[in-house]
Amino acid sequence: MNILALLPEVKSTYLELLHLQPSKSKITFSCYESENMFSPEELLFHTLGFSITRNQSSLVSAGTGVFVTRGFVPKGAVVAMYPGTVYQKYEPIFFQSIGNPFIFRCIDGVLIDGNDKGISKAVYRSCSRRDQLGPFHMSDVSWLTPVVQNPLAVGQYVNNCSPDKAANVCYQEFDVPECFPIELKQYLPNVTYSHDIQSPLRCVVLVALRDIKQGEELFSNYYTIVN
């Protein structure tokens, strides 16, 4: 409930969404393709009041960044999630870490590998298939593809702040409770490396430090983490 309290007030009810004219979705499921479905970005905008996407960063030589493309992000709102494989501090991550700028270190030493390429990508897919429970997926793998289910799962591309670009988001670590609905786990972009260790799934979200307007890029401070 503490984490849910970070979410902004829903801007429209689900009943109101039924009266909106949906655009054709590009999402293709294994058995059918729906012509009457909202895209994940549209659902995000109509429920939370904003949408985000990756684009060329405004920082020189920074590569990809994350921008608010529509709407308005109020202070205290969860604006993005940090996806990836979760490693305990004693688990092997040496080869995955070589030349990898997307490894996030939590306060207690837990590591999250948010790289969507190479060995990191293969490890995540393997762990996700391992954890599948019948028809239920225990994690989201779509963040590794161009077509995502959870458009918030781009937190690894949020750049560090600079003297000219102050931080407007911070990191919040939390463990997913056991009572989390199993049918919603397919939207969590994290998976544990080891299946034998009985520990809660670690997730990291990015929380807005101030109101963020449409068109602004998200910047974090890598040394500012709320425990």
Side-chain angles (χ1 to χ4, degrees):
M1 293 304 296
N2 292 334
I3 299 303
L4 294 177
L6 295 174
L7 292 173
E9 182 181 358
V10 173
K11 296 297 184 295
S12 63
T13 64
Y14 290 103
L15 291 178
E16 290 174 346
L17 288 176
L18 298 177
H19 300 293
L20 297 175
Q21 182 63 36
S23 61
K24 183 176 179 180
S25 174
K26 297 181 180 179
I27 302 175
T28 302
F29 294 90
S30 56
C31 299
Y32 66 92
E33 181 174 8
S34 174
E35 295 183 356
N36 253 333
M37 184 180 295
F38 287 105
S39 70
E41 291 79 10
E42 288 172 324
L43 284 175
L44 179 65
F45 174 72
H46 288 302
T47 54
L48 297 184
F50 67 87
S51 61
I52 59 174
T53 191
R54 293 179 294 181
N55 209 335
Q56 177 64 38
S57 175
S58 59
L59 294 177
V60 179
S61 303
T64 302
V66 179
F67 293 80
V68 177
T69 52
R70 297 176 67 188
F72 167 82
V73 182
K75 179 181 178 180
V78 173
V79 65
M81 304 179 70
Y82 200 101
T85 306
V86 180
Y87 294 82
Q88 299 298 321
K89 53 187 175 182
Y90 48 81
E91 291 180 322
I93 194 176
F94 174 76
F95 289 106
Q96 297 92 311
S97 67
I98 298 176
N100 184 354
F102 297 110
I103 294 182
F104 181 91
R105 186 182 186 279
C106 299
I107 292 178
D108 58 359
V110 171
L111 302 173
I112 301 180
D113 181 6
N115 195 354
D116 55 7
K117 298 178 179 63
I119 298 177
S120 301
K121 180 178 181 179
V123 169
Y124 187 94
R125 285 188 178 276
S126 176
C127 293
S128 180
R129 288 193 296 266
R130 173 203 66 197
D131 293 345
Q132 185 170 342
L133 188 60
F136 295 108
H137 295 275
M138 296 293 101
S139 58
D140 174 27
V141 297
S142 68
W143 66 276
L144 299 170
T145 71
V147 182
V148 299
Q149 289 188 95
N150 181 357
L152 293 177
V154 292
Q156 78 276 36
Y157 284 103
V158 173
N159 287 306
N160 194 30
C161 60
S162 69
D164 299 327
K165 306 285 187 178
N168 51 18
V169 297
C170 68
Y171 297 98
Q172 169 72 63
E173 306 172 3
F174 72 96
D175 293 329
V176 178
E178 293 184 2
C179 61
F180 191 83
I182 189 173
E183 67 274 10
L184 296 181
K185 289 187 176 181
Q186 61 179 313
Y187 301 108
L188 295 178
N190 296 100
V191 64
T192 56
Y193 175 76
S194 177
H195 186 65
D196 300 328
I197 301 174
Q198 298 299 320
S199 60
L201 177 65
R202 174 64 53 84
C203 287
V204 174
V205 297
L206 286 85
V207 180
L209 292 171
R210 60 168 175 82
D211 294 343
I212 306 174
K213 300 177 181 178
Q214 179 176 322
E216 287 193 71
E217 183 175 357
L218 302 183
F219 293 104
S220 65
N221 187 328
Y222 292 162
Y223 301 101
T224 303
I225 301 174
V226 181
N227 188 10

